[in-house]
Amino acid sequence: MSPSTINMIVTIVFIILGLTFTRSILLMLGGKNIFKKAHKGENTVYYPLINLFTLLEIVDMSIFYGILFFVPGFNVIVLAIISYKLGTVFNTSFGFKMGLVFLPICFYPLLFVSDKQYKISDEEYFKALDNAKDESINLMTQEEIQAENNQVVDEGPIVDSVFKSDLDLMEEVGPYRANKVDLLGMEKEKAMSKEENIYEPIELKEPPKPIKEKKEEPEQKASKFTTELDAKKDVEYIDL
């Protein structure tokens, strides 16, 4: 490699590493405000490079990323991530975050003098929530409130009980009258009518007889000698 090429590479490396020191100097000039909001040591901002490690804690990144501050190329990536997260923890817009990444020399001082608040802790959140409960927000104008108060509302008849009002609204029911029913006479009329005779006796029918199943008897084979004797009717028996 020629000496001019080596000199150019060395120059680029120093420029890239200079970005790290430039960011540290920006914090030294006006970063005391954001360190105070993040509850970090305000005097830490005046120490070069150490303020960058403290900035890692503010944006919730591990301090081991600080090693990359001294590696050319990687330091640019880490500084860009820190700038974007710095805009996130201070609740800035997306455009402001991009400004912190690409134009830190302009947007860092704007963040230092802004009234953006750092993310609040849990205790501060609940404390702010309790204070908000005591405050009332009224979205109505004074004229609308006065007109609402002067409006007459028909509340209906005044009663001393809700149940009594329900009973008053019910319709009146006449007295109940029981009619005498002659059940015996009704049965006699049915008996006299041709349609149905309730006194007709019920015919008793015998239950059906069980059906016996016929069992098949095995065929008996006739003996040979018996059949021969049956065939001869005229047989004489001789006494010996």
Side-chain angles (χ1 to χ4, degrees):
M1 296 178 66
S2 61
S4 60
T5 305
I6 295 174
N7 292 333
M8 185 176 63
I9 293 174
V10 172
T11 303
I12 294 173
V13 169
F14 275 103
I15 291 173
I16 294 175
L17 290 175
L19 294 175
T20 302
F21 291 97
T22 303
R23 197 67 53 88
S24 179
I25 293 171
L26 281 174
L27 292 174
M28 292 173 62
L29 294 177
K32 183 178 180 180
N33 190 23
I34 63 173
F35 275 53
K36 181 179 180 180
K37 292 179 180 178
H39 304 288
K40 301 296 180 182
E42 299 178 16
N43 295 328
T44 310
V45 74
Y46 298 114
Y47 297 99
L49 297 180
I50 297 178
N51 54 10
L52 291 178
F53 284 90
T54 308
L55 192 63
L56 285 172
E57 297 179 1
I58 292 175
V59 298
D60 296 330
M61 292 179 65
S62 175
I63 59 175
F64 292 103
Y65 284 100
I67 300 173
L68 300 178
F69 289 150
F70 309 100
V71 180
F74 289 99
N75 64 336
V76 178
I77 298 173
V78 174
L79 290 173
I81 296 173
I82 291 174
S83 299
Y84 187 86
K85 287 196 170 186
L86 186 64
T88 302
V89 296
F90 279 96
N91 301 318
T92 60
S93 63
F94 179 76
F96 199 95
K97 295 174 187 176
M98 291 294 102
L100 291 173
V101 173
F102 296 105
L103 289 173
I105 197 169
C106 296
F107 283 85
Y108 265 76
L110 292 176
L111 181 63
F112 296 156
V113 298
S114 67
D115 57 350
K116 298 291 184 181
Q117 295 297 320
Y118 185 69
K119 59 178 184 178
I120 58 178
S121 61
D122 293 339
E123 295 180 0
E124 293 176 346
Y125 173 77
F126 288 115
K127 185 177 180 180
L129 188 62
D130 292 336
N131 294 334
K133 292 179 180 179
D134 299 333
E135 298 178 359
S136 60
I137 301 174
N138 195 356
L139 301 178
M140 299 176 64
T141 61
Q142 191 65 30
E143 291 79 7
E144 292 175 346
I145 296 173
Q146 188 173 0
E148 188 73 19
N149 295 331
N150 295 333
Q151 186 177 0
V152 179
V153 180
D154 186 9
E155 299 180 354
I158 300 174
V159 294
D160 56 352
S161 173
V162 177
F163 301 102
K164 184 176 180 181
S165 63
D166 294 338
L167 292 174
D168 293 339
L169 294 175
M170 294 176 61
E171 297 181 358
E172 295 184 0
V173 181
Y176 179 75
R177 295 180 180 179
N179 296 325
K180 185 178 180 181
V181 180
D182 187 4
L183 296 178
L184 185 60
M186 293 174 63
E187 296 295 335
K188 287 182 179 180
E189 290 180 0
K190 287 184 179 180
M192 296 298 291
S193 63
K194 297 181 180 180
E195 295 179 358
E196 182 180 1
N197 186 3
I198 62 174
Y199 299 106
E200 184 178 353
I202 301 173
E203 295 181 0
L204 297 177
K205 294 183 180 180
E206 294 182 0
K209 295 180 179 181
I211 301 173
K212 295 182 180 181
E213 296 181 357
K214 296 181 179 181
K215 297 183 179 180
E216 296 181 358
E217 297 181 357
E219 295 181 359
Q220 296 180 357
K221 294 182 179 181
S223 176
K224 180 178 179 182
F225 302 100
T226 305
T227 55
E228 291 178 356
L229 291 174
D230 292 339
K232 295 179 181 181
K233 297 181 179 180
D234 300 329
V235 179
E236 296 179 2
Y237 297 93
I238 302 174
D239 294 330
L240 296 179

